[in-house]
Amino acid sequence: MTTPASAVSGHPTASPQPGTGRCPAGAGRSAVPLSGPGFHTEPHVVYRAMRSEHGPVVPVELPGEVPAWLVIGYRELHQVTSDGELFPRDVGLWNQWGNIPEDWPLLPMVGRPMPSIYFTAGAEHRRHAAMVGQALEEVEHFELRRDCEELADRLVDGFCERGAADLIADFAVPLPVLVLARLVGFPDADGPRIAEVLGHLADGGPGAQEAHLRFGESMRRLLAARRASPGNDVTSRMLAYAGEFTDEEYVLDLMAITAAGHLTTADWIGNSLRLMLTDDQFAVALTGGRHSVAEAMNEVLWEEGPTQILAGRWAARDTRLGGRGIRAGDMLLLGLGAANADPHIRQHLSASGGPSGQRGNSAHLAFSHGEYRCPFPAQEIAEIIARTGIEVLLDRLPDLELAVPVPELVRRQSAFLRGMTALPVRFAPVRPTGDPS
Ligand code: HEM
């Protein structure tokens, strides 16, 4: 398989990192470059300026002057994601393929047509989605929670005697990988290796291509092992599903599940912990207010969703959207983060972009919408991993506090994925639980 590094899921890797330093809001009425520090430092400010300058559908420019539309209106995004016929997630329709060089930096993110849940459209996508959806649906939540507790405890054991940790590298990133590795059917001993491979993939650095090959190899071995000896895992359930799939399709779907789930869930954990550690309204979660953990996690899905921008959808024919003329084959980037802050649905949003009062309201678009959205059982799995992990961490280290001033906390330099690069904390050292498993 020669797929580019992160094209297994369409979720972008941590790179490429747009960063020309130009403020998109200052780009007049011409196409807005989708780059600049504002996207990761103050995205609400950038989107507000875009909205007043361009409206709900913004002409943007990707590296190499490649044009696209960024949909930032909640209603328009709802319209696009609800109409899978007019706006399929079908990269094969793209009218820019003739202008895209082999080394185009966003190619790993945009992907190419291939027989997986993430890169098929229409009936073919529904065939994959039915199989993957059922295999995820049958995940036993009680067992999943128990696995999360055990793996979270094990990670905390690794640093609890130090009195200091980086909650991103030591906890938020490895936890979803280890849980998902177990969920799809890897033996526990393979967990750290899978974590390492996915780490290289997410970096998007020089090791990414090699990591991608190893990732595919691991999945092929897993498929063979589960075929020979089925177990209670996602791979075995996919194999048992009534339907004809090739080995390549199984492997690509397994890669998509893992790649789509690990960094997004890690960022959900990291962004929620940051909110609890820095915002008084959510700090009560640190001192045992468990209801606040759920509230902080929901707030993050509105304000700091892991997937801020997603490529995307492609227009099947000429049409109009938000007052714009869209041509057949145009790319639409889903501005999930921006749409969540659309003033048409968000009278409560404070001018600073601070806590929004969206408690209990889950109509956010963090998981997207429509037939290509994040599968509902996957959303539940993400919620269980993130919530259980955070609860275990807070139970074990109840006096957790930031080890650096808030302005020193750095976000990933990406307009696409919102997450922290590090979250240094300190706490009174405690003994490991000594769970030998
Ligand atoms: C906070 C965590 C997560 C977020 C924010 C998230 C977000 C998303 C988004 C935005 C999409 C694309 C939807 C679209 O194109 O409209 C997606 C697709 C997908 N996600 Fe998630 N996801 C998360 C966790 C997970 C987990 C844990 C899994 C696996 C267990 C997963 C599996 C998938 C799959 C398989 C797809 C492709 C669905 C399809 O094409 O039908 N995701 N996710």
Side-chain angles (χ1 to χ4, degrees):
M1 229 176 289
T2 53
T3 322
S6 72
V8 282
S9 73
H11 282 259
T13 57
S15 69
Q17 304 174 351
T20 62
R22 284 172 63 193
C23 172
R29 296 195 69 83
S30 57
V32 176
L34 203 56
S35 58
F39 280 103
H40 39 99
T41 54
E42 294 184 300
H44 288 298
V45 175
V46 172
Y47 291 133
R48 207 177 307 136
M50 268 190 192
R51 216 181 296 281
S52 67
E53 180 86 10
H54 297 274
V57 179
V58 184
V60 293
E61 189 182 288
L62 300 171
E65 299 181 7
V66 174
W69 299 102
L70 176 63
V71 185
I72 61 173
Y74 186 96
R75 288 176 194 149
E76 289 73 16
L77 197 56
H78 205 266
Q79 189 182 335
V80 168
T81 49
S82 298
D83 192 343
E85 293 286 316
L86 181 53
F87 298 111
R89 193 173 65 205
D90 186 351
V91 63
L93 295 176
W94 200 12
N95 56 25
Q96 292 298 312
W97 277 120
N99 302 324
I100 303 297
E102 268 305 307
D103 60 351
W104 192 57
L106 294 181
L107 201 50
M109 179 187 86
V110 171
R112 292 179 191 283
M114 66 181 91
S116 94
I117 182 169
Y118 220 99
F119 293 102
T120 44
E124 197 49 18
H125 171 260
R126 285 192 287 277
R127 195 171 73 87
H128 283 267
M131 178 205 22
V132 170
Q134 181 165 324
L136 295 177
E137 181 76 51
E138 288 170 12
V139 170
E140 229 299 316
H141 287 186
F142 179 78
E143 275 172 35
L144 175 62
R145 220 168 267 123
R146 206 188 47 206
D147 285 348
C148 292
E149 280 170 4
E150 181 198 323
L151 292 164
D153 265 327
R154 205 185 287 177
L155 289 171
V156 175
D157 278 354
F159 59 76
C160 65
E161 288 177 295
R162 295 205 307 257
D166 167 9
L167 290 184
I168 301 303
D170 294 334
F171 191 75
V173 168
L175 181 65
V177 180
L178 296 177
V179 176
L180 289 174
R182 200 183 265 191
L183 196 81
V184 298
F186 283 108
D188 264 8
D190 286 2
R193 192 175 47 79
I194 301 297
E196 191 198 327
V197 166
L198 285 171
H200 284 303
L201 269 182
D203 284 348
Q209 196 67 41
E210 156 76 17
H212 185 264
L213 293 175
R214 282 169 53 207
F215 189 30
E217 260 316 303
S218 302
M219 288 305 184
R220 262 184 289 279
R221 277 200 302 274
L222 172 65
L223 194 66
R226 297 283 76 92
R227 185 173 269 141
S229 154
N232 179 19
D233 52 66
V234 168
T235 306
S236 301
R237 287 195 287 274
M238 282 168 58
L239 284 165
Y241 180 83
E244 291 281 308
F245 290 87
T246 64
D247 279 10
E248 188 196 13
E249 289 177 316
Y250 285 127
V251 165
L252 285 172
D253 281 345
L254 285 166
M255 291 168 83
I257 292 168
T258 325
H262 83 105
L263 200 54
T264 44
T265 308
D267 284 341
W268 195 9
I269 296 173
N271 293 351
S272 303
L273 286 170
R274 178 194 198 277
L275 186 64
M276 293 179 223
L277 288 163
T278 58
D279 189 315
D280 288 347
Q281 286 196 50
F282 297 98
V284 64
L286 301 176
T287 50
R290 286 296 171 262
H291 188 53
S292 293
V293 173
E295 282 187 354
M297 286 172 59
N298 192 49
E299 177 80 5
V300 162
L301 294 181
W302 278 99
E303 298 298 326
E304 306 225 72
T307 313
Q308 288 284 305
I309 298 177
L310 188 99
R313 300 289 190 271
W314 285 265
R317 54 176 192 274
D318 290 357
T319 185
R320 290 196 71 75
L321 179 74
R324 302 281 185 179
I326 311 287
R327 285 170 36 241
D330 279 1
M331 180 204 271
L332 293 110
L333 297 162
L334 309 184
L336 304 173
N340 280 343
D342 186 338
H344 286 103
I345 56 140
R346 289 289 300 277
Q347 279 81 20
H348 303 304
L349 186 70
S350 70
S352 66
S356 58
Q358 292 296 84
R359 289 181 182 171
N361 179 351
S362 58
H364 57 74
L365 292 169
F367 292 104
S368 187
H369 178 73
E371 72 175 282
Y372 299 98
R373 63 162 199 283
C374 188
F376 291 126
Q379 298 181 26
E380 289 173 345
I381 290 168
E383 205 268 341
I384 291 173
I385 300 173
R387 183 163 179 173
T388 312
I390 292 171
E391 288 184 352
V392 166
L393 182 76
L394 301 185
D395 284 343
R396 297 279 309 275
L397 307 171
D399 60 346
L400 213 53
E401 61 178 8
L402 270 188
V404 297
V406 176
E408 282 180 28
L409 295 175
V410 180
R411 308 237 182 230
R412 183 182 298 120
Q413 291 185 23
S414 166
F416 297 87
L417 290 183
R418 188 143 177 89
M420 308 297 302
T421 55
L423 196 54
V425 290
R426 60 179 164 238
F427 47 86
V430 293
R431 283 213 192 87
T433 55
D435 180 350
S437 53

